[in-house]
Amino acid sequence: MDKQRTAVYPGTFDPITNGHLDILRRACDLFDGVTVCIARNPSKEPMFRIDDRFAMISEALDEVGLDGRVQVETFDGLIVDYADSLGAIALIRGLRAVSDFEFEFQMALMNRHLNSRLHTVYLMPKDEHTYLSSSIVKNVARHGGDIRPFVPSGVARRLMAAYGHTLGE
Ligand code: COA
């Protein structure tokens, strides 16, 4: 049987948004398996603890029916090493706008330098998700705005509760 071609989708996911899920769906169309790799990333000072980010992703995968096809893991250290330990051949990243390009270009070339066997694959989310980011969703939630169109329902609930708001009808 042919070797399984699997990919990792790394990020901080603080929290996961519908934009991330859109990228994941596309990655599932291309690969036999995809592992979401949650970086602890203390330098970003995430709002949610890593186990909460893990729980939100697992709930979201269940909600959109991707739970059988996607694994979720947490990692420390270099993503290329973690990807290698899983036997992945590619690293998935989303490109939303030109503004993402510089950082992503730098990261892709550094990762290639660190491990030339691992390919970085960029996917574009649906246009309605191109302006989404975890920070902007947190900002709207902090001020009590309706974030339900942008994140899975479990994330909306936790985020609003974290800011002391309740979700409307
Ligand atoms: N939809 C919505 N938002 C998206 C998105 C999409 N499709 N794609 C990216 N984003 C947003 C996120 O919401 C986040 O927004 P924020 O900064 O406003 O919170 C931002 O883009 C990026 O976050 P995320 O997708 O979670 O990834 P990241 O850039 O935080 O992840 C790592 C970076 C973890 C991949 C990288 O730091 C890493 O690999 N770390 C491990 C150490 C290592 O190997 N370092 C060497 C790398 S060269």
Side-chain angles (χ1 to χ4, degrees):
M1 201 175 108
D2 286 347
K3 190 171 176 283
Q4 294 275 300
R5 298 164 75 82
T6 62
V8 295
Y9 181 27
T12 311
F13 302 108
D14 184 44
I16 191 165
T17 68
N18 291 344
H20 289 122
L21 286 171
D22 180 295
I23 298 292
L24 253 183
R25 246 187 238 106
R26 292 171 201 278
C28 285
D29 288 342
L30 296 174
F31 293 93
D32 298 316
V34 180
T35 304
V36 175
C37 295
I38 314 171
R40 208 166 284 281
N41 223 346
S43 60
K44 252 187 150 176
E45 297 184 6
M47 169 178 179
F48 290 103
R49 288 177 5 201
I50 199 153
D51 47 340
D52 291 327
R53 285 180 270 149
F54 187 104
M56 284 188 278
I57 294 174
S58 302
E59 283 166 21
L61 293 176
D62 191 33
E63 190 176 324
V64 301
L66 282 177
D67 48 329
R69 307 186 56 194
V70 177
Q71 309 289 317
V72 189
E73 303 281 352
T74 61
F75 78 103
D76 278 313
L78 291 176
I79 185 58
V80 290
D81 292 344
Y82 195 67
D84 224 21
S85 74
L86 297 178
I89 59 162
L91 203 151
I92 305 292
R93 292 288 290 169
L95 263 192
R96 294 159 300 166
V98 179
S99 52
D100 282 342
F101 183 78
E102 206 165 329
F103 174 63
E104 293 296 337
F105 187 67
Q106 226 181 350
M107 199 157 64
L109 294 187
M110 178 55 80
N111 281 333
R112 186 191 283 166
H113 172 83
L114 294 168
N115 182 341
S116 58
R117 292 184 308 277
L118 193 69
H119 303 283
T120 302
V121 174
Y122 287 100
L123 297 172
M124 269 173 272
K126 246 193 223 162
D127 47 359
E128 69 204 61
H129 294 139
T130 51
Y131 64 95
L132 269 188
S133 75
S134 305
S135 304
I136 206 162
V137 170
K138 283 184 279 193
N139 193 283
V140 172
R142 181 179 299 125
H143 296 99
D146 187 3
I147 54 168
R148 286 172 300 180
F150 313 121
V151 289
S153 60
V155 172
R157 205 177 48 247
R158 283 177 197 245
L159 205 43
M160 294 308 268
Y163 287 119
H165 300 295
T166 47
L167 273 178
E169 287 307 305

